[in-house]
Amino acid sequence: MSWGDGTIEMFTSREYREPRRYRSDPSEPYWKQRGWQVSAAFLGVVVLLSGIVALTAGRGTADDGASAPPSKGPLSGTPAMKDGRPDGCRTDDSRGGVMPTSPPDDVDWRALGVARVPVSASAGPTLTQGPVWWCFAHTPAGAVLAAHIIPSHMSGPDWRTIAQEQVVAGPGRDLFVFKRSTVRDDGPGGTPDTGSASGSHRDAGSGSSSAASYAGFSVPAYSGEAATVELLLKTGQGYATTSVALRWSGGDWKVQPSDNGALHTPVKAVQGTNGHLLWGV
């Protein structure tokens, strides 16, 4: 499958293959939650966005040349079809705003940089163009998949293109881009190099490291124009949650950043999985 030649490829259920579990040393401790840390699988959201102010404290200028410049993609300047979707994008939106009671039946997992993210032939993303995975169903399930995939792209070298294509334009996006540009993209597995000497997640208190993964989700709010998806993370120390806001814009789901440039709410520890649908992986 080609990813960098600008061609559009269709995701189908046959193309999904379970990748081998990625094993690598993440690049930076998550210092705001004592006793546990998130892995590089959520590095693009937690380390870059929650802690980026502390991460970049004392750096006066952006790190130019650390990532690829943005390229034009399928969601920038593409005329919408009569049905409101970009050219070539078709999904089954027959369930409308019906809230899911289980994950989509056709969910599989793909490697995305250092992450493993859920994908679905019915809920999306059903198309790719270069680094952009897009065309999500205009349903709560489509919003759920977008909330997992779009932020996970932000740890890779093509984050500028993803921000341009799949983050809602405005002051929040501008601030995110400014903050993100201060971090180099030359850490392990394409993750940002934040200056860690050991290149691994270590808890300052215990000296241990633990991997995190997507464990489940809930949809606290949904309309045809906006959605809020809560992501459930599992670590070696327990569970944690964070929420991603999305907006239906230009015929697809995009992340709606906050005014301070964050793509998600602060991560918080929780006692268990109550209130979430579990991925079962």
Side-chain angles (χ1 to χ4, degrees):
M1 179 179 292
S2 175
W3 291 92
D5 58 3
T7 59
I8 298 176
E9 300 182 17
M10 177 71 71
F11 274 134
T12 64
S13 58
R14 282 188 177 181
E15 293 177 43
Y16 296 146
R17 287 182 173 87
E18 179 72 8
R20 292 182 179 180
R21 188 171 297 274
Y22 192 95
R23 296 181 183 274
S24 68
D25 288 332
S27 62
E28 180 71 11
Y30 181 63
W31 57 88
K32 290 192 176 183
Q33 296 286 342
R34 297 182 65 85
W36 68 277
Q37 358 20 74
V38 295
S39 72
F42 205 58
L43 185 66
V45 178
V46 177
V47 174
L48 290 178
L49 309 183
S50 289
I52 199 163
V53 174
L55 181 68
T56 60
R59 299 186 186 182
T61 59
D63 198 344
D64 296 334
S67 57
S71 59
K72 185 176 180 180
L75 301 175
S76 58
T78 302
M81 301 291 286
K82 290 183 179 179
D83 61 2
R85 302 306 299 267
D87 189 17
C89 176
R90 295 291 183 273
T91 55
D92 180 5
D93 303 335
S94 59
R95 291 186 60 82
V98 177
M99 292 293 185
T101 57
S102 64
D105 293 337
D106 57 358
V107 163
D108 212 324
W109 293 80
R110 290 185 69 92
L112 176 55
V114 294
R116 295 178 69 245
V117 295
V119 292
S120 164
S122 61
T126 64
L127 296 172
T128 68
Q129 183 168 329
V132 182
W133 299 16
W134 66 291
C135 193
F136 296 92
H138 195 184
T139 63
V144 167
L145 274 294
H148 285 74
I149 290 169
I150 296 173
S152 294
H153 270 289
M154 295 306 179
S155 62
D158 293 303
W159 66 268
R160 291 182 185 272
T161 295
I162 304 305
Q164 176 177 276
E165 297 287 311
Q166 296 183 295
V167 177
V168 177
R173 186 177 77 175
D174 294 342
L175 187 54
F176 165 74
V177 170
F178 171 76
K179 292 178 177 180
R180 176 63 177 86
S181 65
T182 64
V183 184
R184 295 192 62 87
D185 295 297
D186 53 3
T191 61
D193 182 359
T194 52
S196 170
S198 65
S200 63
H201 272 303
R202 298 289 179 183
D203 181 352
S206 67
S208 63
S209 63
S210 60
S213 60
Y214 294 114
F217 65 90
S218 65
V219 186
Y222 181 85
S223 71
E225 300 302 317
T228 300
V229 176
E230 184 171 89
L231 305 178
L232 179 69
L233 308 175
K234 189 176 190 305
T235 77
Q237 304 296 321
Y239 292 95
T241 60
T242 185
S243 293
V244 178
L246 301 105
R247 182 193 296 178
W248 188 256
S249 175
D252 210 0
W253 289 112
K254 298 183 180 181
V255 171
Q256 174 67 67
S258 66
D259 291 341
N260 67 358
L263 303 192
H264 71 106
T265 62
V267 177
K268 62 179 181 181
V270 294
Q271 294 301 311
T273 64
N274 288 346
H276 298 86
L277 299 177
L278 303 182
W279 287 117
V281 294

